[in-house]
Amino acid sequence: MSYPGYPPTGYPPFPGYPPAGQESTFPPPGQYPYPTGFPPVGGGAYPPAPSSGYPGAGGYPATAGYPTPGGYPGAPPPGGAPSYPGVPPGQGFGAPPPGGAGFSSYPQPPSQSYGGGLPQVPLPGGFPGGQMPSQYPGGQGPYPSQPAAMTQGAQGTIRPAANFDAMRDAEILRKAMKGFGTDEQAIVNIVANRSNDQRQKIKAAFKTMYGKDLIKDLKSELSGNMEELILALFMPPTYYDAWSLRNAMKGAGTQERVLIEILCTRTNQEIREIVRCYQSEFGRDLEKDIRSDTSGHFERLLVSMCQGNRDENQNVNHQLAQEDAQRLYQAGEGRLGTDESCFNMILATRSFPQLKATMEAYSRVANRDLLSSVAREFSGNVESGLKTILQCALNRPAFFAERLYYSMKGAGTDDSTLVRIVVTRSEIDLVQIKQMFKQMYQKTLSTMIVSDTSGDYRRLLLAIVGQ
């Protein structure tokens, strides 16, 4: 099963995770004045997955990039590679590019250091053989060149406002909601131009000044997607993640792709805070809820994720990468059946930079990239979860860009996914997600939002995303 947007050739790497100073902090228990049943049932519950949702959610395009099981016809020995459009023979999956170690199909990042405020360093845009493949496996048109502005640190589109005055903002919001009708533009101007931390202060100032709950007032004035978006923006980040997980497991059915999107992409600190918040706000144990709502290898993967114990040492051990690659090969492609626990152990414990090195080593060992091996060895939710971890190791912004694309592609819009990603990444790496979106789909995120949404909801999304 091929993965549009993640072809084995040309996955630009993404250095600089997590950006220093972007770790979430969340207020102590009891500080989230959210009514429990919100958004109102019927109004904000997550819609069912669109037909082109997550792999395993039905409706993923048919295998495009990989040959049928049984391997490449006449597969060359490791080091050679099947001929690929636009790539001269002898270059490709298996062999490291001339001039040093590295994965032939992934441009290498400059030496990584973690932290913001670094000079802009363009990434090399090289592809095997110095040529771009003409198309994605999914046939989405020619490959864009690597944006020159890919910086070392990651950036959000929302920055804290200068000269911030919580009481003045609270007053403007009060005026916007008073009397007949609501001045939505005034609400948009404030909400889209304040950081989450500043919005929490506005909420507190509003209650102090008027003895009323800002969230309840907003709920009574707004409805539908606009309501869901505004309420999401006013939730502290950790609470919003915990609330999204609770919502995904409440009632009949489980939205597995929400569990994957949150638990497989967050940092250790974020996950531990989510687990604590879930307990303090909903009085429930996240791990127990996951166990009762999922099963099998997928359950084990999510339970591993919610420990928040991934190694976060940024140094890569190349010897270990080679051993892990060999282990993964022996656990999957190199035997009959699959040893799932080996995949779980390596993908749940190794740091993201370490996993990236393992993927590079794997392509030399197996003459196939690890994402395609996972697609051949697994299916359904566990396949989606494992792939998400690997995609985050390669290029986290590209993973979110792809999720945004599929939330709007085709008939109907998966508004909850659109809202969740735009809100949760708005202060972390939405700038990079927009760059990857344009590179992968030859259109900007804002043009797709314009064609898929309308009214104040569209205005607010565009104000957050920026042009």
Side-chain angles (χ1 to χ4, degrees):
M1 193 165 102
S2 86
Y3 204 79
Y6 296 96
T9 36
Y11 211 115
F14 205 78
Y17 261 95
Q22 294 278 13
E23 298 84 4
S24 67
T25 55
F26 79 102
Q31 296 235 334
Y32 307 106
Y34 286 96
T36 46
F38 124 98
V41 179
Y46 290 114
S51 58
S52 56
Y54 228 71
Y60 229 71
T63 315
Y66 305 106
T68 51
Y72 286 95
S83 64
Y84 218 71
V87 182
Q91 271 262 293
F93 293 89
F103 199 5
S104 60
S105 34
Y106 298 81
Q108 293 302 300
S111 61
Q112 296 189 16
S113 59
Y114 290 76
L118 289 159
Q120 299 214 342
V121 180
L123 289 184
F127 282 83
Q131 291 183 28
M132 305 283 187
S134 58
Q135 288 217 319
Y136 277 95
Q140 270 144 10
Y143 238 101
S145 60
Q146 182 80 15
M150 282 290 196
T151 50
Q152 294 235 340
Q155 305 144 270
T157 53
I158 292 184
R159 303 281 172 84
N163 308 320
F164 169 66
D165 180 344
M167 291 175 85
R168 186 186 59 211
D169 286 352
E171 198 175 338
I172 295 169
L173 289 176
R174 172 98 172 102
K175 280 187 185 142
M177 295 185 287
K178 228 172 132 188
F180 291 112
T182 306
D183 180 358
E184 277 93 357
Q185 189 58 51
I187 298 176
V188 167
N189 290 345
I190 285 190
V191 175
N193 294 298
R194 304 290 182 271
S195 68
N196 190 285
D197 191 47
Q198 290 175 332
R199 287 182 220 120
Q200 304 313 317
K201 290 176 176 146
I202 296 170
K203 212 159 63 180
F206 192 92
K207 191 169 262 186
T208 304
M209 291 162 72
Y210 305 112
K212 295 178 77 172
D213 190 305
L214 175 59
I215 302 307
K216 283 188 179 149
D217 277 17
L218 286 166
K219 276 170 71 82
S220 66
E221 297 288 333
L222 305 166
S223 63
N225 295 325
M226 178 67 168
E227 177 186 353
E228 185 174 351
L229 178 54
I230 290 268
L231 297 184
L233 286 162
F234 272 103
M235 292 190 211
T238 303
Y239 179 88
Y240 185 37
D241 277 348
W243 176 85
S244 298
L245 290 171
R246 178 77 196 107
N247 221 44
M249 292 186 281
K250 227 164 54 179
T254 303
Q255 275 127 20
E256 288 88 357
R257 59 192 205 297
V258 178
L259 306 183
I260 292 168
E261 183 198 299
I262 294 174
L263 294 171
C264 295
T265 66
R266 304 300 192 247
T267 65
N268 286 351
Q269 186 184 346
E270 286 166 345
I271 286 175
R272 288 173 190 166
E273 288 175 356
I274 289 164
V275 169
R276 283 201 296 271
C277 177
Y278 194 91
Q279 179 69 57
S280 67
E281 293 304 315
F282 309 115
R284 302 178 71 92
D285 182 316
L286 178 58
E287 189 180 316
K288 268 192 193 147
D289 279 1
I290 287 170
R291 285 186 191 284
S292 66
D293 267 62
T294 59
S295 61
H297 297 295
F298 181 54
E299 173 197 332
R300 285 175 218 164
L301 180 65
L302 292 185
V303 167
S304 295
M305 291 298 103
C306 74
Q307 304 313 302
N309 272 335
R310 180 181 298 285
D311 173 26
E312 287 188 339
N313 174 6
Q314 298 300 330
N315 299 323
V316 172
N317 175 341
H318 291 284
Q319 177 64 39
L320 178 65
Q322 191 59 43
E323 288 163 17
D324 281 351
Q326 201 64 51
R327 276 191 205 121
L328 290 170
Y329 181 73
Q330 305 288 294
E333 299 278 3
R335 57 173 283 171
L336 220 64
T338 308
D339 175 2
E340 293 88 356
S341 63
C342 175
F343 278 83
N344 194 96
M345 186 278 285
I346 292 172
L347 270 65
T349 60
R350 305 293 188 246
S351 71
F352 285 126
Q354 182 68 34
L355 282 174
K356 187 164 180 287
T358 303
M359 292 173 83
E360 291 166 9
Y362 184 90
S363 71
R364 294 193 289 270
V365 169
N367 211 32
R368 164 177 286 129
D369 79 318
L370 187 51
L371 278 168
S372 68
S373 287
V374 167
R376 289 155 58 91
E377 299 290 329
F378 294 87
S379 61
N381 295 315
V382 68
E383 177 196 347
S384 306
L386 293 170
K387 280 181 160 179
T388 297
I389 294 167
L390 294 174
Q391 284 148 8
C392 282
L394 282 175
N395 188 330
R396 197 178 319 219
F399 165 74
F400 285 114
E402 193 207 34
R403 293 285 285 129
L404 284 168
Y405 178 75
Y406 282 103
S407 73
M408 294 181 278
K409 184 181 183 286
T413 304
D414 176 357
D415 291 289
S416 288
T417 295
L418 176 57
V419 165
R420 192 173 55 252
I421 295 177
V422 166
V423 171
T424 56
R425 309 314 292 182
S426 63
E427 291 180 51
I428 300 176
D429 55 3
L430 193 49
V431 168
Q432 280 70 30
I433 292 169
K434 282 163 60 180
Q435 288 171 345
M436 288 313 311
F437 192 95
K438 188 153 193 265
Q439 188 177 338
M440 288 160 67
Y441 303 110
Q442 288 79 53
K443 59 174 103 172
T444 64
L445 177 56
S446 51
T447 51
M448 202 154 176
I449 287 172
V450 166
S451 62
D452 258 65
T453 58
S454 61
D456 297 312
Y457 173 55
R458 175 202 284 169
R459 286 221 301 266
L460 180 49
L461 280 172
L462 291 175
I464 298 166
V465 167
Q467 290 312 307

